[in-house]
Amino acid sequence: NQNFSAINNENSIEAHVSINGDANLDFLNIPITIPEMNLTYTTLTTPSLKDFSIWEETGLKEFLKTTKQSFDLNVKIQYKKNKDKHSIAVPLGIFYKFISQNVNSLDSYFENVRDNALDFLTTSYNKVKITLDKYKAEKSLNTLPRSFQNPGYIIPVVNIEVSPFSVEMLPFSHVIPKAINTPSFTFPGYDFYVPSYTLVLPSLELPELRIPRNLLKLSLPDFKELSAVNNIFIPAMGNITYDFSFKSSVITLNTNAGLYNQSDIVAHFLSSSSFVIDALQYKLEGTSRLTRKRGLKLATALSLSNEFVEGSHNSTISFTKKNMEASASTSAKVHIPVLRMNFKQELNGNTKSKPTVSSSIELKYDFNSPKLFSTAKGAIDHKLSLESLTSYFSIESSTEGDIKGLFLSREYSGAIASEASTYVNSKATRSSVKLQGSSKVDGIW
């Protein structure tokens, strides 16, 4: 079975998925029998199996516990919306003020351009019209009307009689006709006749130009200042959560994660498992917090627990107007049959009076393997410090280590120690190094 749902409303956005199922493994309890078989093309023979139970003989009975298996999977993601909003300043009021101050001068400029354009159009048109009328009058007085005549004729074969026709031209043009007399057509023997027609073309002249009154009232639209919008509001980040779970007769897994925006921004993660095998059970948890009061401070914590491994980590870094400070510490433990080990590391730094950094690492181990007839037990310790100003620089380092154990039943031991330092300023440089060590092997040195 599976289900899916999604919700989006004014308060949250959610999505949920669930899947579950069942399985019956009773068929694995049925004994099976396999006779001996000869492998083809070889002389090998496979052994026979009689009443072999896959459920019991392969260890599935101890691992799965029951033949009735089921699982349940659920995933949920949720985002809770934040009612708060962030305001971002946008100086639109200055833009509106600039437009309102210049809109009057823009209207006046537009009206001048409009009047000048209409005046130029009217004047140019009237000049062309007067010139054309004067040219037509002069040509009409000084030039007699011209006409072109074409004599009549008979179209051969069909004996159609075509009467004479003429074209009268304008006195001031050799191309544009004034009137056209079309010929007449007579069809002998059919009593059919097409008469002649006179086509008079209108004289070429420009009409009076009339400017619409509404065109003289053409203007830019009125500008009205809107309500000043000086800020843009963006919704603040809400809370995001994620839940995952898987359950069966063998293993159970759970994972939860969330990002929360409250007075501080917090991120949290938690994952755990429950298994029939203890070695596969674990718990992993982490938290990170960002604080914005009196500067910025980021704190992070991680932890891991298991039958064989344990670990934790903590770190902090903060920024203020006058100082920066950071610290980190990490620890880990390993517990397996042949090895036990502890690790620890610390790091600190700040700039309160002068920039300083200090670091320390510590490792302890105990190895014991009876099968190899070998053991080893020891520790390592390392420290480092650094100081710096514009006038000088200083660094110091020290390391100590020792080991003791057996190798093939022969005892051995050893130790080492070192120290180093450096100091540098504008006038001098000073450095020192110290190293010493010792070792012992039973029966050799």
Side-chain angles (χ1 to χ4, degrees), residues 284-316:
L284 176 63
E285 185 174 8
T287 302
S288 184
R289 181 184 298 271
L290 178 63
T291 304
R292 294 165 289 182
K293 296 179 180 179
R294 297 187 298 274
L296 291 176
K297 181 180 180 180
L298 179 63
T300 303
L302 295 172
S303 64
L304 172 65
S305 60
N306 179 264
E307 183 179 5
F308 300 126
V309 179
E310 294 181 8
S312 64
H313 171 80
N314 294 277
S315 64
T316 303

PDB file of all heavy atoms in Angstrom, residues 284-316:
ATOM      1  N   LEU A 284      23.451   9.255  15.688  1.00  0.00           N
ATOM      2  CA  LEU A 284      24.223  10.400  15.198  1.00  0.00           C
ATOM      3  C   LEU A 284      23.378  11.649  15.379  1.00  0.00           C
ATOM      4  O   LEU A 284      22.239  11.718  14.906  1.00  0.00           O
ATOM      5  CB  LEU A 284      24.585  10.217  13.723  1.00  0.00           C
ATOM      6  CG  LEU A 284      25.306  11.387  13.040  1.00  0.00           C
ATOM      7  CD1 LEU A 284      26.649  11.639  13.690  1.00  0.00           C
ATOM      8  CD2 LEU A 284      25.472  11.119  11.542  1.00  0.00           C
ATOM      9  N   GLU A 285      23.931  12.640  16.070  1.00  0.00           N
ATOM     10  CA  GLU A 285      23.184  13.861  16.366  1.00  0.00           C
ATOM     11  C   GLU A 285      24.076  15.076  16.146  1.00  0.00           C
ATOM     12  O   GLU A 285      25.264  15.063  16.488  1.00  0.00           O
ATOM     13  CB  GLU A 285      22.671  13.840  17.799  1.00  0.00           C
ATOM     14  CG  GLU A 285      21.784  15.020  18.151  1.00  0.00           C
ATOM     15  CD  GLU A 285      21.174  14.897  19.543  1.00  0.00           C
ATOM     16  OE1 GLU A 285      21.568  13.966  20.287  1.00  0.00           O
ATOM     17  OE2 GLU A 285      20.313  15.734  19.892  1.00  0.00           O
ATOM     18  N   GLY A 286      23.498  16.109  15.574  1.00  0.00           N
ATOM     19  CA  GLY A 286      24.248  17.340  15.326  1.00  0.00           C
ATOM     20  C   GLY A 286      23.357  18.559  15.468  1.00  0.00           C
ATOM     21  O   GLY A 286      22.173  18.522  15.122  1.00  0.00           O
ATOM     22  N   THR A 287      23.941  19.619  15.987  1.00  0.00           N
ATOM     23  CA  THR A 287      23.214  20.879  16.167  1.00  0.00           C
ATOM     24  C   THR A 287      24.144  22.029  15.819  1.00  0.00           C
ATOM     25  O   THR A 287      25.324  22.027  16.198  1.00  0.00           O
ATOM     26  CB  THR A 287      22.721  21.042  17.616  1.00  0.00           C
ATOM     27  OG1 THR A 287      21.885  19.940  17.957  1.00  0.00           O
ATOM     28  CG2 THR A 287      21.921  22.331  17.775  1.00  0.00           C
ATOM     29  N   SER A 288      23.605  22.999  15.106  1.00  0.00           N
ATOM     30  CA  SER A 288      24.359  24.208  14.771  1.00  0.00           C
ATOM     31  C   SER A 288      23.457  25.401  15.043  1.00  0.00           C
ATOM     32  O   SER A 288      22.297  25.422  14.626  1.00  0.00           O
ATOM     33  CB  SER A 288      24.796  24.184  13.300  1.00  0.00           C
ATOM     34  OG  SER A 288      25.599  25.306  13.001  1.00  0.00           O
ATOM     35  N   ARG A 289      24.011  26.401  15.738  1.00  0.00           N
ATOM     36  CA  ARG A 289      23.220  27.565  16.154  1.00  0.00           C
ATOM     37  C   ARG A 289      23.961  28.847  15.772  1.00  0.00           C
ATOM     38  O   ARG A 289      25.141  29.007  16.088  1.00  0.00           O
ATOM     39  CB  ARG A 289      22.972  27.525  17.660  1.00  0.00           C
ATOM     40  CG  ARG A 289      22.135  28.694  18.192  1.00  0.00           C
ATOM     41  CD  ARG A 289      22.024  28.620  19.707  1.00  0.00           C
ATOM     42  NE  ARG A 289      21.344  27.412  20.117  1.00  0.00           N
ATOM     43  CZ  ARG A 289      20.028  27.291  20.274  1.00  0.00           C
ATOM     44  NH1 ARG A 289      19.258  28.358  20.028  1.00  0.00           N
ATOM     45  NH2 ARG A 289      19.494  26.164  20.665  1.00  0.00           N
ATOM     46  N   LEU A 290      23.237  29.753  15.088  1.00  0.00           N
ATOM     47  CA  LEU A 290      23.784  31.045  14.709  1.00  0.00           C
ATOM     48  C   LEU A 290      23.086  32.127  15.525  1.00  0.00           C
ATOM     49  O   LEU A 290      21.868  32.315  15.406  1.00  0.00           O
ATOM     50  CB  LEU A 290      23.590  31.300  13.214  1.00  0.00           C
ATOM     51  CG  LEU A 290      24.070  32.651  12.687  1.00  0.00           C
ATOM     52  CD1 LEU A 290      25.575  32.794  12.864  1.00  0.00           C
ATOM     53  CD2 LEU A 290      23.690  32.844  11.216  1.00  0.00           C
ATOM     54  N   THR A 291      23.867  32.820  16.358  1.00  0.00           N
ATOM     55  CA  THR A 291      23.342  33.890  17.208  1.00  0.00           C
ATOM     56  C   THR A 291      23.760  35.231  16.636  1.00  0.00           C
ATOM     57  O   THR A 291      24.933  35.422  16.278  1.00  0.00           O
ATOM     58  CB  THR A 291      23.866  33.737  18.652  1.00  0.00           C
ATOM     59  OG1 THR A 291      23.525  32.434  19.137  1.00  0.00           O
ATOM     60  CG2 THR A 291      23.247  34.779  19.563  1.00  0.00           C
ATOM     61  N   ARG A 292      22.807  36.168  16.584  1.00  0.00           N
ATOM     62  CA  ARG A 292      23.065  37.477  15.976  1.00  0.00           C
ATOM     63  C   ARG A 292      23.029  38.619  16.982  1.00  0.00           C
ATOM     64  O   ARG A 292      22.937  39.774  16.610  1.00  0.00           O
ATOM     65  CB  ARG A 292      22.035  37.724  14.863  1.00  0.00           C
ATOM     66  CG  ARG A 292      22.160  36.790  13.683  1.00  0.00           C
ATOM     67  CD  ARG A 292      20.943  36.815  12.809  1.00  0.00           C
ATOM     68  NE  ARG A 292      19.798  36.165  13.456  1.00  0.00           N
ATOM     69  CZ  ARG A 292      18.616  36.020  12.876  1.00  0.00           C
ATOM     70  NH1 ARG A 292      18.423  36.466  11.644  1.00  0.00           N
ATOM     71  NH2 ARG A 292      17.622  35.426  13.518  1.00  0.00           N
ATOM     72  N   LYS A 293      23.106  38.321  18.268  1.00  0.00           N
ATOM     73  CA  LYS A 293      23.124  39.357  19.291  1.00  0.00           C
ATOM     74  C   LYS A 293      24.573  39.762  19.585  1.00  0.00           C
ATOM     75  O   LYS A 293      25.433  38.923  19.820  1.00  0.00           O
ATOM     76  CB  LYS A 293      22.457  38.847  20.573  1.00  0.00           C
ATOM     77  CG  LYS A 293      20.968  38.533  20.396  1.00  0.00           C
ATOM     78  CD  LYS A 293      20.376  38.023  21.697  1.00  0.00           C
ATOM     79  CE  LYS A 293      18.888  37.712  21.531  1.00  0.00           C
ATOM     80  NZ  LYS A 293      18.286  37.184  22.787  1.00  0.00           N
ATOM     81  N   ARG A 294      24.819  41.052  19.568  1.00  0.00           N
ATOM     82  CA  ARG A 294      26.167  41.598  19.842  1.00  0.00           C
ATOM     83  C   ARG A 294      27.208  40.925  18.938  1.00  0.00           C
ATOM     84  O   ARG A 294      28.207  40.378  19.402  1.00  0.00           O
ATOM     85  CB  ARG A 294      26.527  41.432  21.321  1.00  0.00           C
ATOM     86  CG  ARG A 294      25.612  42.200  22.266  1.00  0.00           C
ATOM     87  CD  ARG A 294      26.126  42.130  23.683  1.00  0.00           C
ATOM     88  NE  ARG A 294      26.168  40.753  24.174  1.00  0.00           N
ATOM     89  CZ  ARG A 294      25.144  40.128  24.727  1.00  0.00           C
ATOM     90  NH1 ARG A 294      23.981  40.751  24.873  1.00  0.00           N
ATOM     91  NH2 ARG A 294      25.265  38.890  25.151  1.00  0.00           N
ATOM     92  N   GLY A 295      26.927  40.930  17.633  1.00  0.00           N
ATOM     93  CA  GLY A 295      27.843  40.325  16.679  1.00  0.00           C
ATOM     94  C   GLY A 295      27.282  39.008  16.158  1.00  0.00           C
ATOM     95  O   GLY A 295      26.090  38.712  16.256  1.00  0.00           O
ATOM     96  N   LEU A 296      28.187  38.176  15.633  1.00  0.00           N
ATOM     97  CA  LEU A 296      27.803  36.871  15.107  1.00  0.00           C
ATOM     98  C   LEU A 296      28.527  35.779  15.871  1.00  0.00           C
ATOM     99  O   LEU A 296      29.733  35.892  16.153  1.00  0.00           O
ATOM    100  CB  LEU A 296      28.137  36.759  13.618  1.00  0.00           C
ATOM    101  CG  LEU A 296      27.314  37.609  12.644  1.00  0.00           C
ATOM    102  CD1 LEU A 296      27.843  37.434  11.239  1.00  0.00           C
ATOM    103  CD2 LEU A 296      25.838  37.235  12.699  1.00  0.00           C
ATOM    104  N   LYS A 297      27.785  34.719  16.195  1.00  0.00           N
ATOM    105  CA  LYS A 297      28.382  33.589  16.891  1.00  0.00           C
ATOM    106  C   LYS A 297      27.796  32.306  16.328  1.00  0.00           C
ATOM    107  O   LYS A 297      26.570  32.132  16.291  1.00  0.00           O
ATOM    108  CB  LYS A 297      28.124  33.668  18.392  1.00  0.00           C
ATOM    109  CG  LYS A 297      28.749  32.527  19.177  1.00  0.00           C
ATOM    110  CD  LYS A 297      28.469  32.663  20.665  1.00  0.00           C
ATOM    111  CE  LYS A 297      29.097  31.513  21.449  1.00  0.00           C
ATOM    112  NZ  LYS A 297      28.819  31.637  22.906  1.00  0.00           N
ATOM    113  N   LEU A 298      28.651  31.412  15.875  1.00  0.00           N
ATOM    114  CA  LEU A 298      28.237  30.135  15.311  1.00  0.00           C
ATOM    115  C   LEU A 298      28.780  29.012  16.184  1.00  0.00           C
ATOM    116  O   LEU A 298      29.994  28.894  16.366  1.00  0.00           O
ATOM    117  CB  LEU A 298      28.744  29.979  13.877  1.00  0.00           C
ATOM    118  CG  LEU A 298      28.407  28.664  13.168  1.00  0.00           C
ATOM    119  CD1 LEU A 298      26.894  28.510  13.010  1.00  0.00           C
ATOM    120  CD2 LEU A 298      29.100  28.570  11.819  1.00  0.00           C
ATOM    121  N   ALA A 299      27.878  28.219  16.733  1.00  0.00           N
ATOM    122  CA  ALA A 299      28.255  27.094  17.590  1.00  0.00           C
ATOM    123  C   ALA A 299      27.760  25.797  16.966  1.00  0.00           C
ATOM    124  O   ALA A 299      26.598  25.714  16.542  1.00  0.00           O
ATOM    125  CB  ALA A 299      27.681  27.262  18.985  1.00  0.00           C
ATOM    126  N   THR A 300      28.626  24.786  16.916  1.00  0.00           N
ATOM    127  CA  THR A 300      28.299  23.505  16.294  1.00  0.00           C
ATOM    128  C   THR A 300      28.675  22.370  17.228  1.00  0.00           C
ATOM    129  O   THR A 300      29.750  22.404  17.851  1.00  0.00           O
ATOM    130  CB  THR A 300      29.043  23.336  14.956  1.00  0.00           C
ATOM    131  OG1 THR A 300      28.718  24.437  14.094  1.00  0.00           O
ATOM    132  CG2 THR A 300      28.658  22.037  14.277  1.00  0.00           C
ATOM    133  N   ALA A 301      27.793  21.375  17.320  1.00  0.00           N
ATOM    134  CA  ALA A 301      28.057  20.205  18.161  1.00  0.00           C
ATOM    135  C   ALA A 301      27.632  18.952  17.403  1.00  0.00           C
ATOM    136  O   ALA A 301      26.531  18.902  16.836  1.00  0.00           O
ATOM    137  CB  ALA A 301      27.306  20.306  19.476  1.00  0.00           C
ATOM    138  N   LEU A 302      28.520  17.948  17.382  1.00  0.00           N
ATOM    139  CA  LEU A 302      28.247  16.662  16.733  1.00  0.00           C
ATOM    140  C   LEU A 302      28.592  15.540  17.698  1.00  0.00           C
ATOM    141  O   LEU A 302      29.561  15.643  18.464  1.00  0.00           O
ATOM    142  CB  LEU A 302      29.059  16.501  15.446  1.00  0.00           C
ATOM    143  CG  LEU A 302      28.776  17.456  14.284  1.00  0.00           C
ATOM    144  CD1 LEU A 302      29.813  17.263  13.192  1.00  0.00           C
ATOM    145  CD2 LEU A 302      27.377  17.232  13.734  1.00  0.00           C
ATOM    146  N   SER A 303      27.824  14.454  17.642  1.00  0.00           N
ATOM    147  CA  SER A 303      28.117  13.298  18.488  1.00  0.00           C
ATOM    148  C   SER A 303      27.717  12.024  17.755  1.00  0.00           C
ATOM    149  O   SER A 303      26.717  11.999  17.021  1.00  0.00           O
ATOM    150  CB  SER A 303      27.381  13.395  19.823  1.00  0.00           C
ATOM    151  OG  SER A 303      25.978  13.359  19.636  1.00  0.00           O
ATOM    152  N   LEU A 304      28.493  10.967  17.955  1.00  0.00           N
ATOM    153  CA  LEU A 304      28.249   9.662  17.355  1.00  0.00           C
ATOM    154  C   LEU A 304      28.493   8.596  18.414  1.00  0.00           C
ATOM    155  O   LEU A 304      29.516   8.625  19.116  1.00  0.00           O
ATOM    156  CB  LEU A 304      29.182   9.434  16.157  1.00  0.00           C
ATOM    157  CG  LEU A 304      29.173   8.026  15.551  1.00  0.00           C
ATOM    158  CD1 LEU A 304      27.808   7.714  14.929  1.00  0.00           C
ATOM    159  CD2 LEU A 304      30.284   7.867  14.520  1.00  0.00           C
ATOM    160  N   SER A 305      27.529   7.686  18.552  1.00  0.00           N
ATOM    161  CA  SER A 305      27.680   6.586  19.508  1.00  0.00           C
ATOM    162  C   SER A 305      27.366   5.269  18.818  1.00  0.00           C
ATOM    163  O   SER A 305      26.391   5.159  18.065  1.00  0.00           O
ATOM    164  CB  SER A 305      26.755   6.790  20.710  1.00  0.00           C
ATOM    165  OG  SER A 305      25.403   6.837  20.313  1.00  0.00           O
ATOM    166  N   ASN A 306      28.224   4.279  19.065  1.00  0.00           N
ATOM    167  CA  ASN A 306      28.116   2.950  18.482  1.00  0.00           C
ATOM    168  C   ASN A 306      28.811   1.983  19.428  1.00  0.00           C
ATOM    169  O   ASN A 306      29.559   2.394  20.322  1.00  0.00           O
ATOM    170  CB  ASN A 306      28.746   2.941  17.080  1.00  0.00           C
ATOM    171  CG  ASN A 306      28.688   1.586  16.415  1.00  0.00           C
ATOM    172  OD1 ASN A 306      29.650   0.835  16.474  1.00  0.00           O
ATOM    173  ND2 ASN A 306      27.569   1.259  15.791  1.00  0.00           N
ATOM    174  N   GLU A 307      28.548   0.707  19.242  1.00  0.00           N
ATOM    175  CA  GLU A 307      29.174  -0.270  20.139  1.00  0.00           C
ATOM    176  C   GLU A 307      30.687  -0.229  20.035  1.00  0.00           C
ATOM    177  O   GLU A 307      31.385  -0.451  21.027  1.00  0.00           O
ATOM    178  CB  GLU A 307      28.659  -1.675  19.794  1.00  0.00           C
ATOM    179  CG  GLU A 307      29.209  -2.757  20.718  1.00  0.00           C
ATOM    180  CD  GLU A 307      28.673  -4.129  20.374  1.00  0.00           C
ATOM    181  OE1 GLU A 307      27.959  -4.240  19.356  1.00  0.00           O
ATOM    182  OE2 GLU A 307      28.969  -5.080  21.103  1.00  0.00           O
ATOM    183  N   PHE A 308      31.229   0.105  18.870  1.00  0.00           N
ATOM    184  CA  PHE A 308      32.676   0.085  18.673  1.00  0.00           C
ATOM    185  C   PHE A 308      33.296   1.474  18.562  1.00  0.00           C
ATOM    186  O   PHE A 308      34.502   1.625  18.786  1.00  0.00           O
ATOM    187  CB  PHE A 308      33.029  -0.719  17.409  1.00  0.00           C
ATOM    188  CG  PHE A 308      32.581  -2.138  17.461  1.00  0.00           C
ATOM    189  CD1 PHE A 308      31.792  -2.669  16.456  1.00  0.00           C
ATOM    190  CD2 PHE A 308      32.944  -2.962  18.513  1.00  0.00           C
ATOM    191  CE1 PHE A 308      31.377  -3.986  16.494  1.00  0.00           C
ATOM    192  CE2 PHE A 308      32.539  -4.279  18.563  1.00  0.00           C
ATOM    193  CZ  PHE A 308      31.750  -4.797  17.553  1.00  0.00           C
ATOM    194  N   VAL A 309      32.494   2.486  18.197  1.00  0.00           N
ATOM    195  CA  VAL A 309      33.047   3.818  17.951  1.00  0.00           C
ATOM    196  C   VAL A 309      32.186   4.857  18.671  1.00  0.00           C
ATOM    197  O   VAL A 309      30.959   4.803  18.626  1.00  0.00           O
ATOM    198  CB  VAL A 309      33.078   4.138  16.432  1.00  0.00           C
ATOM    199  CG1 VAL A 309      33.634   5.540  16.198  1.00  0.00           C
ATOM    200  CG2 VAL A 309      33.900   3.109  15.686  1.00  0.00           C
ATOM    201  N   GLU A 310      32.863   5.793  19.320  1.00  0.00           N
ATOM    202  CA  GLU A 310      32.205   6.940  19.929  1.00  0.00           C
ATOM    203  C   GLU A 310      33.000   8.188  19.564  1.00  0.00           C
ATOM    204  O   GLU A 310      34.239   8.151  19.488  1.00  0.00           O
ATOM    205  CB  GLU A 310      32.134   6.810  21.457  1.00  0.00           C
ATOM    206  CG  GLU A 310      31.259   5.673  21.944  1.00  0.00           C
ATOM    207  CD  GLU A 310      31.206   5.615  23.458  1.00  0.00           C
ATOM    208  OE1 GLU A 310      31.738   6.557  24.093  1.00  0.00           O
ATOM    209  OE2 GLU A 310      30.656   4.649  24.000  1.00  0.00           O
ATOM    210  N   GLY A 311      32.288   9.276  19.352  1.00  0.00           N
ATOM    211  CA  GLY A 311      32.984  10.515  18.990  1.00  0.00           C
ATOM    212  C   GLY A 311      32.115  11.721  19.233  1.00  0.00           C
ATOM    213  O   GLY A 311      30.882  11.632  19.277  1.00  0.00           O
ATOM    214  N   SER A 312      32.785  12.859  19.406  1.00  0.00           N
ATOM    215  CA  SER A 312      32.065  14.125  19.589  1.00  0.00           C
ATOM    216  C   SER A 312      32.935  15.261  19.064  1.00  0.00           C
ATOM    217  O   SER A 312      34.173  15.163  19.042  1.00  0.00           O
ATOM    218  CB  SER A 312      31.716  14.357  21.064  1.00  0.00           C
ATOM    219  OG  SER A 312      32.894  14.504  21.840  1.00  0.00           O
ATOM    220  N   HIS A 313      32.265  16.312  18.648  1.00  0.00           N
ATOM    221  CA  HIS A 313      32.957  17.504  18.150  1.00  0.00           C
ATOM    222  C   HIS A 313      32.161  18.737  18.566  1.00  0.00           C
ATOM    223  O   HIS A 313      30.937  18.783  18.429  1.00  0.00           O
ATOM    224  CB  HIS A 313      33.080  17.473  16.626  1.00  0.00           C
ATOM    225  CG  HIS A 313      33.573  18.753  16.042  1.00  0.00           C
ATOM    226  ND1 HIS A 313      34.912  19.098  16.040  1.00  0.00           N
ATOM    227  CD2 HIS A 313      32.917  19.799  15.466  1.00  0.00           C
ATOM    228  CE1 HIS A 313      35.057  20.291  15.476  1.00  0.00           C
ATOM    229  NE2 HIS A 313      33.852  20.739  15.122  1.00  0.00           N
ATOM    230  N   ASN A 314      32.881  19.727  19.081  1.00  0.00           N
ATOM    231  CA  ASN A 314      32.280  20.998  19.477  1.00  0.00           C
ATOM    232  C   ASN A 314      33.164  22.129  18.964  1.00  0.00           C
ATOM    233  O   ASN A 314      34.388  22.093  19.129  1.00  0.00           O
ATOM    234  CB  ASN A 314      32.142  21.104  20.997  1.00  0.00           C
ATOM    235  CG  ASN A 314      31.150  20.106  21.566  1.00  0.00           C
ATOM    236  OD1 ASN A 314      29.958  20.348  21.565  1.00  0.00           O
ATOM    237  ND2 ASN A 314      31.655  18.968  22.043  1.00  0.00           N
ATOM    238  N   SER A 315      32.538  23.102  18.323  1.00  0.00           N
ATOM    239  CA  SER A 315      33.295  24.247  17.816  1.00  0.00           C
ATOM    240  C   SER A 315      32.469  25.504  17.963  1.00  0.00           C
ATOM    241  O   SER A 315      31.234  25.464  17.906  1.00  0.00           O
ATOM    242  CB  SER A 315      33.679  24.034  16.346  1.00  0.00           C
ATOM    243  OG  SER A 315      32.521  23.970  15.533  1.00  0.00           O
ATOM    244  N   THR A 316      33.165  26.611  18.153  1.00  0.00           N
ATOM    245  CA  THR A 316      32.526  27.914  18.302  1.00  0.00           C
ATOM    246  C   THR A 316      33.382  28.956  17.612  1.00  0.00           C
ATOM    247  O   THR A 316      34.617  28.959  17.758  1.00  0.00           O
ATOM    248  CB  THR A 316      32.362  28.288  19.789  1.00  0.00           C
ATOM    249  OG1 THR A 316      31.614  27.280  20.454  1.00  0.00           O
ATOM    250  CG2 THR A 316      31.635  29.613  19.935  1.00  0.00           C
TER     251      THR A 316
END
